[in-house]
Amino acid sequence: MSSVKKSGTYILGDREVYRLGYGAMQLAGPGVFGPPKDPEMAVKVLQAAVEAGVNHIDTSDFYGPHVTNQLIRKALHPYPASLCIVTKVSARRNEKGDWIPAMSPAELTQAVEDNLRNLGLEALEVVNLRSMLDVHGPAEGPLEEPLETLITLKKRGLIRHIGLSNVTAKQVADAQKMTPVACVQNFYNVANRQDDALIDALAAQNIPYVPFFPLGGFTPLQSGELNDVAEKLGATPMQVALAWLLQRSPNILLIPGTSSLGHLQENLAAADLQLPDWALTALENIKP
């Protein structure tokens, strides 16, 4: 059995995917802007991920922009029937690479059309609406208007399922009054656990939670504690962080990204790592 299969499966939209997937963001250039230094290596990483069993790839047409989607199409199209590609909308990039909110009906429609064209798809499996009310993190505020646009595009057959990203628990609940929510994608890891209650609430509803930045926002002390556990287990800090997320809740789906074949194999091997009780205790005691 491959490492990916050992991660288990969960339902995303109406597709069964392995819980250990792949995030394409790092395939773009520095700052997620422009092309990568080695486009052929990017293609090889994508192909290696799918060959290893990955059937959930997370992307966006504003990565690059357009770069990661074009690489995914070059590497994998025509796509395996089992592959679930998830994208996100509501941002754009200016000429400097800044992240600009793009949540108007016209901008969201254009974003969906760009994703379809660059990925070579007739319909997008899951489109996450990323709240841009605050670029740096979830912020309360209405998302009804952009959601209405995605619902309209879903009725047109361009989107099969709608998810949310960078959102609060209230925004999730409000969205569910308008449309089924296929998944929630927020910043979360062992050292940044503000979404603990949301994860548990979503699990009770069989809704996937997709954390990003599994090693993001660690203080030097927190990093030291994670490194200590990793060293004792003979694993990398990234593998421990991913293994902790897999054991945290069965509805968590992982999308670690890399542009390196070696790091890809290391990340996927996290599914082989079963954290013992002492390690879980040490990680749970990491202070926010």
Side-chain angles (χ1 to χ4, degrees):
M1 180 183 294
S2 74
S3 296
V4 172
K5 293 181 179 179
K6 292 179 183 178
S7 68
T9 62
Y10 207 75
I11 300 299
L12 175 58
D14 56 11
R15 306 285 290 276
E16 184 176 23
V17 300
Y18 291 115
R19 294 178 60 211
L20 189 49
Y22 175 79
M25 185 174 72
Q26 293 189 34
L27 294 183
V32 202
F33 192 65
K37 292 181 179 179
D38 190 344
E40 292 306 314
M41 178 56 67
V43 166
K44 290 178 181 178
V45 168
L46 285 162
Q47 292 171 339
V50 172
E51 288 169 3
V54 167
N55 59 1
H56 169 205
I57 291 179
D58 181 84
T59 186
S60 175
D61 207 61
F62 55 68
Y63 294 163
H66 315 307
V67 170
T68 61
N69 281 355
Q70 291 169 354
L71 286 168
I72 289 169
R73 182 174 184 174
K74 180 179 180 180
L76 303 173
H77 194 277
Y79 302 113
S82 62
L83 183 61
C84 180
I85 298 176
V86 178
T87 189
K88 64 184 69 65
V89 294
S90 74
R92 61 181 177 84
R93 313 298 293 279
N94 64 16
E95 63 279 0
K96 297 179 181 179
D98 298 323
W99 302 86
I100 309 298
M103 298 177 68
S104 72
E107 289 171 319
L108 292 171
T109 300
Q110 182 66 57
V112 167
E113 292 172 348
D114 287 345
N115 274 279
L116 288 168
R117 182 181 65 257
N118 287 312
L119 286 169
L121 291 169
E122 295 182 356
L124 299 170
E125 194 66 33
V126 182
V127 173
N128 287 327
L129 173 68
R130 189 191 195 282
S131 172
M132 294 293 286
L133 298 175
D134 186 337
V135 176
H136 304 292
E140 294 292 2
L143 295 175
E144 285 80 4
E145 182 178 344
L147 270 174
E148 284 288 2
T149 300
L150 293 190
I151 291 169
T152 298
L153 295 170
K154 182 179 178 183
K155 291 176 180 177
R156 286 177 52 191
L158 302 183
I159 296 172
R160 295 195 177 101
H161 302 278
I162 296 171
L164 299 170
S165 180
N166 196 42
V167 290
T168 67
K170 181 180 185 302
Q171 288 167 333
V172 174
D174 289 344
Q176 288 178 303
K177 297 173 185 176
M178 301 174 62
T179 185
V181 173
C183 59
V184 174
Q185 186 180 109
N186 276 1
F187 174 48
Y188 179 84
N189 56 44
V190 68
N192 297 273
R193 300 183 53 179
Q194 295 87 342
D195 270 2
D196 270 342
L198 177 58
I199 290 172
D200 295 339
L202 293 172
Q205 302 173 70
N206 298 315
I207 297 174
Y209 181 94
V210 187
F212 55 79
F213 297 144
L215 288 181
F218 278 61
T219 67
L221 177 59
Q222 292 166 339
S223 295
E225 293 171 329
L226 176 64
N227 292 344
D228 183 58
V229 171
E231 184 177 357
K232 290 177 180 176
L233 291 172
T236 69
M238 184 66 154
Q239 287 173 330
V240 173
L242 294 173
W244 181 85
L245 287 166
L246 285 174
Q247 291 179 232
R248 165 63 179 84
S249 182
N251 68 321
I252 287 181
L253 303 181
L254 303 185
I255 50 169
T258 180
S259 59
S260 159
L261 284 172
H263 287 159
L264 172 68
Q265 296 305 320
E266 288 180 5
N267 291 346
L268 297 184
D272 294 322
L273 184 60
Q274 187 70 24
L275 299 177
D277 289 343
W278 68 262
L280 290 172
T281 299
L283 294 171
E284 291 286 345
N285 287 336
I286 289 181
K287 302 301 181 184

